[in-house]
Amino acid sequence: MTAPQAISARRQTTDVDAMIADLRSCEHPHDVEVCGMLLHILPGVLSPRLSHAPDALISKWHIQSGATVLDLGCGSGVLGLAALRAGAEHLVALDINPQAVLTTKLNIERLGHCKQAEARLSDIYSALQPEEKFDLILFAAPYWNRKAKDDLERSCFDEDHSAMASALGGAHNWLNANGLMYVVFSDQGDIGRVLNLIDNSNLRVRNMHIFRPSIHGGHIRIIWELTVR
């Protein structure tokens, strides 16, 4: 029988390089509690132990009972699994990082959602089938315009915001007629560039939320609610 993992305390950091160094130093899995869920995090995956973007989105979203949800760039699965707890009916979680997909699969099983949820290896929407449609797309986007050296860095770095461009540009193909895309971003990224990407997409801004930093030197988080034009 495997010994239970110690529950890691959550903390905030403003230094992305320090955060990545911390994550690289984690050679063993750890558990972290988020919104009443005990998540198991494998090495090489962005952990909500250090990332608080999911908390901002969860505080503002509206999940309709029975909703179908796409968690894009799922990482640990925190957003999609929280959506199920909030009343969603079905979840598809996608990530380009194999360790993130495995982490999400483990958390789906641990939290008892095997009949409602699945995780797939995917480059943005590549693993979806043409007939799949969703009421909600959740995207906690990487903020920093830097080249990623590996899958772990992809969770933070998005050179030229190309992943954001693909996510926004293709979202209308996967949303139901009244569907909604939630995008979490930061002032440490190029907000003007993202607004241009939204303007050039088939989406429009329905609402926007601003979160001021809660620690000294922290960054401002932005949540966009986007609908199909």
Side-chain angles (χ1 to χ4, degrees):
M1 183 175 179
T2 305
Q5 300 289 325
I7 299 176
S8 299
R10 301 184 73 195
R11 63 181 178 85
Q12 295 193 55
T13 179
T14 61
D15 185 337
V16 65
D17 293 300
M19 180 175 71
I20 289 174
D22 185 306
L23 294 169
R24 288 197 195 286
S25 70
C26 295
E27 298 179 352
H28 303 286
H30 66 274
D31 287 351
V32 59
E33 186 174 351
V34 184
C35 298
M37 302 181 299
L38 190 61
L39 300 175
H40 190 64
I41 315 298
L42 298 179
V45 177
L46 180 63
S47 173
R49 176 174 62 87
L50 298 173
S51 172
H52 290 250
D55 305 74
L57 176 51
I58 290 167
S59 73
K60 290 298 181 182
W61 70 15
H62 175 66
I63 307 293
Q64 291 186 343
S65 178
T68 54
V69 176
L70 176 64
D71 185 357
L72 188 60
C74 58
S76 63
V78 55
L79 282 174
L81 290 165
L84 289 177
R85 287 173 62 91
E89 179 64 27
H90 182 69
L91 166 68
V92 175
L94 305 179
D95 205 293
I96 199 169
N97 180 355
Q99 280 289 89
V101 174
L102 181 55
T103 296
T104 298
K105 287 181 177 179
L106 290 171
N107 287 321
I108 288 170
E109 182 177 356
R110 281 163 61 103
L111 295 174
H113 293 299
C114 292
K115 293 183 179 180
Q116 296 173 275
E118 58 179 305
R120 305 174 192 168
L121 186 66
S122 184
D123 185 357
I124 310 296
Y125 302 112
S126 66
L128 295 178
Q129 299 300 313
E131 68 277 7
E132 291 185 288
K133 299 288 183 181
F134 301 91
D135 300 311
L136 294 174
I137 297 176
L138 312 175
F139 186 38
Y143 306 149
W144 291 270
N145 181 4
R146 291 169 55 176
K147 183 177 178 61
K149 299 175 184 176
D150 54 24
D151 285 334
L152 175 60
E153 290 193 0
R154 284 176 187 262
S155 62
C156 298
F157 301 153
D158 182 13
E159 189 174 23
D160 295 327
H161 294 304
S162 59
M164 176 69 88
S166 296
L168 294 172
H172 67 283
N173 294 313
W174 309 105
L175 282 170
N176 287 321
N178 296 317
L180 186 64
M181 183 179 192
Y182 285 101
V183 177
V184 186
F185 203 61
S186 163
D187 67 342
Q188 294 196 3
D190 188 341
I191 295 173
R193 173 73 181 277
V194 175
L195 288 172
N196 284 334
L197 291 172
I198 293 171
D199 190 51
N200 291 327
S201 74
N202 287 300
L203 306 173
R204 64 176 180 85
V205 177
R206 188 182 78 169
N207 205 351
M208 183 177 72
H209 307 279
I210 304 294
F211 289 82
R212 302 294 177 185
S214 58
I215 59 173
H216 179 72
H219 51 110
I220 297 172
R221 288 190 177 90
I222 302 104
I223 294 173
W224 285 291
E225 298 179 12
L226 306 174
T227 58
V228 179
R229 292 182 191 272

